[in-house]
Structure formats: structure tokens, C-alpha cells
Amino acid sequence: QEPISSAAGLRASEGAIRTSLVYVSVPSEVGPFLVPFGDYDDWSLRDKYNEAIRIMNMLGASTIVCETFREVSVRRGLRARFLDQSAEVTQHREMHSDFDFRHNGAGSTPRDPRPLRWPDEPGFSAAVSSVLENGAADVEINIKSNRIWTINGELGVQLKKLGFDLGGGNQRSEATTLHIKATFPHI
């Protein structure tokens, strides 16, 4: 944790920096950039998407297809049991999002897109080397990410002895896919 005064001069993804949020510091060309912790996964997916398109354009791609798909599922529940009677309340919510980019053109002479914003992202550096050093005509990158968080809780061991059971749970799962395919003219 740092005092708010240390954020003077920094930029944030949603504008003003607020004291009630936890931020992730992200490097950028013009200095550190702050993204709220809870928004980081969405922000990083969009940034990787834009970086993939920038890399393929700099490498002179004649066609680019870039697609993402994200699915989030949230399940919440509360259960109660007293002697032989029980009740349960559950909530389930699903969200889907995707965005696509397609480009078809003549292509151009490849230029080196380095430095890369995501140098450790699998496939980005390899695509640059494949085109610049090996004259690759086709490049395809698939990035998949799955995350699951689960919280289960129970209340009162003493209450269980009396025949009363109260508990709940929360599960959140996310699946994200980023697919990039580009072709390059033989120049």
C-alpha cells in the first residue's frame, strides 16, 4: 500500500484515482498506468487484443482475424436445515461477451513491432520472429485462460449438535479465449 500522494501525476483507466480502490500498476509508453484490481482481467484482455492487431499490422499482414470470447458464471447459495426441515436459495448468473476484428488488404513490407507491450505473452514474440526472420506466410495464436474461485462456509458446530445447519457458498468461473490468425504476402 502506498499513500494517495504517491499517485500524483499517474493516470488511471477510469480517470480520477480514488482512495477506496486497489489498483494494479501497468507499465506504458508514457509512464505507469493504474487499473482497478477488479477490472484488470477485462482491461488486460482488451489490451492484448489491441496489441495483437498492432503486431500483425506492423508485420505487414494482408489478412487479420482476431476474435475473443469470454464467459463468466456466478453461482451463489444459502442453505439452512433444522431437524428434518431444509431450505435452499440459489442464484445463477451467466455473462457472455465477444469482440471481433477482421482486416483484408494488400499487406506491406514487414516492420519490427518491438518493444512489445506483452513480451511474455506466449506467441507474440514467436510471431515476430517467424515473420521477420523466417518469412512466415501464416501465423496463428490461441490464448486460453480458465479461472475458478470457490468459497464455502458453514456456521456453528454447536448449532449442528442441536440439529441446525446453516451454510452458504459462492462460485465464480471465467473462461477467456483470444484467437489471432494472420497471413502475410510474400514480398
Side-chain angles (χ1 to χ4, degrees):
Q1 290 184 346
E2 296 182 27
I4 192 70
S5 61
S6 68
L10 296 180
R11 299 173 304 124
S13 61
E14 80 277 343
I17 297 170
R18 297 186 290 169
T19 58
S20 60
L21 288 178
V22 174
Y23 289 92
V24 176
S25 180
V26 178
S28 74
E29 298 83 22
V30 294
F33 180 65
L34 301 177
V35 177
F37 179 77
D39 297 339
Y40 182 77
D41 288 338
D42 289 336
W43 177 87
S44 65
L45 177 63
R46 282 189 308 275
D47 199 58
K48 288 175 187 177
Y49 181 91
N50 288 327
E51 176 69 352
I53 293 169
R54 185 191 73 81
I55 290 169
M56 298 309 165
N57 274 315
M58 293 285 293
L59 292 172
S62 56
T63 62
I64 302 171
V65 175
C66 192
E67 302 169 327
T68 68
F69 181 75
R70 183 168 183 199
E71 182 177 66
V72 178
S73 177
V74 178
R75 295 178 195 270
R76 291 184 179 107
L78 179 66
R79 71 176 188 290
R81 184 175 45 222
F82 182 67
L83 299 175
D84 291 336
Q85 305 295 317
S86 66
E88 185 172 337
V89 176
T90 60
Q91 176 191 25
H92 180 82
R93 183 179 66 180
E94 290 190 24
M95 298 178 296
H96 303 276
S97 66
D98 60 350
F99 41 95
D100 301 332
F101 172 82
R102 295 192 192 310
H103 161 83
N104 192 6
S108 64
T109 303
R111 294 169 292 158
D112 193 340
R114 294 175 276 211
L116 304 177
R117 281 185 56 86
W118 297 90
D120 298 328
E121 188 63 44
F124 285 8
S125 291
V128 172
S129 297
S130 294
V131 173
L132 294 179
E133 298 164 18
N134 298 325
D138 294 300
V139 172
E140 191 166 341
I141 301 171
N142 288 301
I143 301 169
K144 295 180 183 178
S145 173
N146 294 310
R147 294 175 290 277
I148 297 176
W149 297 272
T150 302
I151 298 171
N152 289 315
E154 293 183 4
L155 178 65
V157 173
Q158 290 290 348
L159 295 175
K160 281 188 177 183
K161 291 179 182 177
L162 299 174
F164 184 73
D165 180 24
L166 180 65
N170 187 7
Q171 179 179 1
R172 179 182 175 98
S173 60
E174 296 180 11
T176 305
T177 302
L178 175 60
H179 174 79
I180 307 119
K181 181 171 175 39
T183 57
F184 301 88
H186 295 284
I187 298 175

